[in-house]
């Protein structure tokens, strides 16, 4: 298949206003109404901790949000919980968390640590994009040490392309995603350069409550202090953007080109 560039495939724009060299995001469609967002994460915790506040903010303003998790994150199980049981705990926590935020939760349930980057997984995500028709997709940045996160990034890149390709026949018609953004994740930090700061103050407490459904958030399954890190990060990003709490996002480099007729 002759693939056009990512930037050519996902045209369109999200309204932005300048803040220094970065932007403050007004997450609306071209006619001013809040649009549909789909967060696509390798593991449920990534979805809630790094993308959940964005989903919540969109829903708060009248839009819709969907979280697609490519796995259940079951291999993060602590020693005293069987892996399969922990996966179901993760699924249940995600359903509670997304329900609290007003978002949909869907799973593809590939084996944790073995999420494949191939035609089957890419077409499965393509089909989800065609079904939910998001205006904006948020996913992992490529600069990750984690193979599942890297593969998720690649899967979403090609799934967005496939979803928009009208000559690719699937059960649902083609759908073009207007904007792809990358979430700030402590495991995906290599060359992550944020350019978009979203005010999450209206949903901050609700987002923390949603994250708290996960034992991982409370430090019960490993060493990393997710609660401290992501709550503190929202304050730090808020300091840089003039908000009390904010989430920093990164636009796809291929979508940063603007074509104004005057400056
Ligand atoms: Zn992860």
């Amino acid at each position: 298949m002759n693939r056009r560039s990512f930037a050519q495939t996902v045209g369109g724009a999200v309204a932005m206003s300048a803040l220094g060299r970065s932007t403050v995001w007004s997450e609306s469609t071209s006619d001013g109404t809040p649009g549909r967002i789909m967060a696509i994460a390798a593991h449920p915790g990534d979805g809630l901790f790094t993308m959940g506040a964005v989903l919540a903010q969109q829903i708060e303003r009248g839009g819709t949000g969907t979280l697609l998790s490519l796995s259940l994150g079951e291999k993060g199980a602590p020693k005293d919980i069987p892996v399969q049981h922990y996966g179901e705990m993760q699924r249940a926590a995600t359903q509670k968390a997304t329900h609290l935020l007003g978002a949909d939760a869907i799973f593809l349930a590939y084996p944790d640590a073995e999420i494949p980057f191939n035609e089957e997984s890419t077409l499965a995500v393509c089909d989800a994009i065609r079904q939910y028709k998001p205006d904006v997709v948020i996913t992992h940045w490529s600069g990750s040490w984690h193979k599942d996160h890297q593969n998720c990034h690649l899967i979403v890149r090609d799934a967005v392309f496939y979803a928009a390709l009208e000559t690719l026949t699937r059960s649902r018609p083609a759908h073009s995603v207007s904007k792809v953004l990358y979430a700030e994740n402590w495991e995906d930090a290599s060359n992550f350069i944020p350019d978009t700061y979203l005010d999450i103050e209206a949903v901050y407490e609700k987002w923390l409550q949603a994250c708290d459904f996960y034992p991982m958030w409370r430090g019960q399954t490993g060493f990393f202090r997710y609660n401290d890190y992501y709550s503190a990060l929202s304050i730090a990003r808020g300091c840089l953007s003039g908000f009390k709490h904010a989430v920093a996002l990164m636009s796809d480099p291929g979508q940063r080109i603007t074509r104004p007729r005057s400056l």
Side-chain angles (χ1 to χ4, degrees):
M1 186 176 293
N2 181 21
R3 297 188 179 195
R4 294 178 294 163
S5 74
F6 180 79
Q8 286 176 304
T9 304
V10 289
V14 172
M16 293 183 178
S17 60
L19 179 81
R21 295 177 58 193
S22 300
T23 54
V24 179
W25 182 29
S26 172
E27 68 295 333
S28 54
T29 55
S30 57
D31 65 358
T33 57
R36 296 179 291 266
I37 289 190
M38 174 177 274
I40 305 175
H43 311 111
D46 299 308
L48 262 294
F49 306 165
T50 75
M51 310 173 199
V54 180
L55 290 176
Q57 176 66 14
Q58 185 76 354
I59 293 163
E60 174 78 11
R61 288 177 53 84
T64 65
T66 301
L67 170 60
L68 167 59
S69 185
L70 301 187
S71 80
L72 295 174
E74 70 275 7
K75 292 197 177 78
K79 288 181 180 175
D80 58 341
I81 300 178
V83 165
Q84 189 172 359
H85 178 61
Y86 185 69
E88 291 311 313
M89 289 172 61
Q90 291 270 92
R91 184 196 299 273
T94 305
Q95 288 168 336
K96 287 179 184 175
T98 51
H99 180 73
L100 179 65
L101 301 182
D104 295 314
I106 51 178
F107 303 90
L108 286 178
Y110 291 108
D112 186 14
E114 301 174 54
I115 295 173
F117 171 47
N118 56 30
E119 287 301 285
E120 189 278 330
S121 59
T122 302
L123 288 169
V125 174
C126 159
D127 289 344
I129 291 171
R130 288 189 175 192
Q131 178 178 357
Y132 286 88
K133 301 181 176 66
D135 304 296
V136 178
V137 164
I138 304 174
T139 191
H140 292 271
W141 170 234
S142 61
S144 180
W145 65 266
H146 198 305
K147 64 191 286 283
D148 280 352
H149 294 198
Q150 290 177 10
N151 282 354
C152 181
H153 176 91
L154 295 171
I155 288 168
V156 171
R157 180 198 66 184
D158 287 356
V160 167
F161 168 73
Y162 279 162
L165 193 59
E166 299 203 2
T167 49
L168 180 68
T169 302
R170 304 292 293 171
S171 62
R172 292 184 174 84
H175 171 75
S176 292
V177 174
S178 296
K179 183 79 177 173
V180 175
L181 292 163
Y182 303 115
E184 187 167 27
N185 187 316
W186 75 282
E187 293 170 303
D188 307 342
S190 294
N191 299 318
F192 181 85
I193 304 172
D195 54 67
T196 301
Y197 291 83
L198 179 68
D199 178 8
I200 62 165
E201 187 55 28
V203 297
Y204 179 68
E205 292 297 334
K206 186 187 288 187
W207 167 62
L208 291 182
Q209 289 176 30
C211 293
D212 201 45
F213 286 117
Y214 294 86
M216 179 194 297
W217 178 255
R218 288 175 260 119
Q220 296 176 358
T221 62
F223 71 94
F224 192 76
R225 295 154 55 196
Y226 285 91
N227 184 342
D228 286 343
Y229 180 79
Y230 284 110
S231 56
L233 187 62
S234 72
I235 295 171
R237 292 313 192 184
C239 291
L240 294 175
S241 57
F243 300 125
K244 189 172 181 182
H245 296 96
V247 166
L249 300 160
M250 178 176 173
S251 301
D252 188 88
Q255 293 190 306
R256 290 183 187 169
I257 295 171
T258 59
R259 294 173 292 233
R261 295 194 182 277
S262 63
L263 294 177

